[in-house]
C-alpha cells in the first residue's frame, strides 16, 4: 500500500471538508437522489461475492444497494457523522463503515473487484490523487463506477451561482463539477483504465414546487450552501442577492413540481 504524506495545509483542508459535510443534514439531501445508487450498481453489474469499495459514500446511497446484491461492501467517507447515519439505518446489511480520505485510502493494492463513488469523490480537492487511489485499490480487470454532477447541469450551475458569495477555495483545490466532464475523467485516469463508458443523463427530483422551497431546503441541509450563507451572514444585501439568484435558477429548472439534475456516469475498467 502506498503512503501519501499530508502537509499541514492538506490537513486543514480536510478538516474544513469534514466540518462542511457534517453541517446540516446531508443524508436528507442524498435521499432526494437515492435512485442513483441503484443505477450505478446495475451499470457495474455488481454481484454476490464481489468485494466493493464505495468511496465518499456518505450514508450509503451506493453501498446499500450493492450490499443487497450479496456483495461484500466497505463504505468509506472522510466524515464519520455521515457513516454513523448509514450504519444506524442499515445495521442488517453487513456493510463495513470506515472513516477514510479518498486521497489516501487505507486499503491494500488490488484489494477490491469494484470501486464506486456517487457525487462524492468529486468534492475532494485534489482530483489526481483520488484517481490514483481508485486505480490502486482495484484489481486489474476490476471496474470503477462514478456518478458526478456535470458543470452544465443544475447542481453545476448552483455552484456557479454560489461561487461569488462562497469562501475562496483552498490553494490547489480543483472544482468538483470538473468530474462531470468526460474529457477531464479521461485525463485523470489515462491509460491506466480501458473500456471507458460515459453516459450523460438526469435524475428526477420531485420534492420542490418553487425555487424558494428548494433554496430554503438547501440552506438548512446542504453543507456547501450552509457554508456559503455563513460567509455572508453579516451582509443582508448579499444574502438577499444570493436568495434571489438561487430562486431564479431553481425556478428555471422546476416544471410541474419536477426538476431534472444532470450527471455523468463513468464506468471504467482497470488495465
Amino acid at each position: 500500500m502506498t503512503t501519501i504524506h499530508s502537509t499541514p495545509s492538506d490537513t486543514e483542508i480536510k478538516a474544513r471538508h469534514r466540518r462542511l459535510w457534517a453541517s446540516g443534514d446531508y443524508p436528507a439531501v442524498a435521499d432526494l437522489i437515492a435512485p442513483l445508487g441503484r443505477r450505478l450498481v446495475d451499470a457495474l453489474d455488481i454481484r454476490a461475492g464481489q468485494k466493493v469499495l464505495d468511496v465518499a459514500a456518505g450514508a450509503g446511497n451506493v453501498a446499500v444497494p450493492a450490499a443487497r446484491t450479496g456483495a461484500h461492501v466497505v463504505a468509506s467517507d472522510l466524515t464519520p457523522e455521515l457513516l454513523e447515519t448509514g450504519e444506524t439505518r442499515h445495521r442488517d446489511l453487513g456493510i463495513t463503515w470506515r472513516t477514510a480520505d479518498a486521497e489516501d485510502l487505507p486499503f491494500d493494492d488490488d484489494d477490491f473487484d469494484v470501486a464506486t463513488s456517487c457525487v462524492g469523490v468529486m468534492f475532494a480537492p485534489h482530483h489526481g490523487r483520488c484517481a490514483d487511489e481508485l486505480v490502486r485499490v482495484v484489481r486489474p480487470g476490476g471496474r470503477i463506477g462514478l456518478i458526478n454532477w456535470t458543470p452544465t447541469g443544475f447542481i453545476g450551475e448552483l455552484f456557479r451561482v454560489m461561487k461569488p458569495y462562497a469562501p475562496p477555495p483552498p490553494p490547489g483545490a480543483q472544482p468538483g463539477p470538473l468530474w462531470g466532464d468526460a474529457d477531464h475523467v479521461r485525463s485523470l485516469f489515462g491509460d491506466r483504465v480501458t473500456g471507458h463508458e460515459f453516459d450523460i443523463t438526469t435524475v428526477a427530483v420531485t420534492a420542490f414546487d418553487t425555487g424558494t422551497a428548494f433554496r430554503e431546503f438547501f440552506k438548512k441541509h446542504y453543507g456547501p450552501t450552509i457554508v456559503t450563507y455563513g460567509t455572508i451572514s453579516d451582509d443582508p444585501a448579499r444574502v438577499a442577492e444570493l436568495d434571489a439568484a438561487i430562486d431564479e435558477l431553481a425556478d428555471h429548472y422546476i416544471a410541474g413540481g419536477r426538476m431534472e439534475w444532470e450527471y455523468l456516469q463513468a464506468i471504467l475498467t482497470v488495465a
Side-chain angles (χ1 to χ4, degrees), residues 57-83:
N61 268 18
V62 180
V64 168
R68 286 178 174 151
T69 70
H72 306 293
V73 179
V74 178
S76 69
D77 199 280
L78 188 67
T79 306
E81 292 88 343
L82 301 182
L83 299 176

Side-chain angles (χ1 to χ4, degrees), residues 16 45 58 66 76 92 131 143 152-153 162 172 213 246 250:
R16 284 175 56 181
D45 192 25
S76 69
D92 59 323
R143 306 183 90 192
T152 55
M162 292 194 299
I246 293 177

Side-chain angles (χ1 to χ4, degrees), residues 9 13 16 126 169-173:
S9 176
I13 290 171
R16 284 175 56 181
H126 304 108

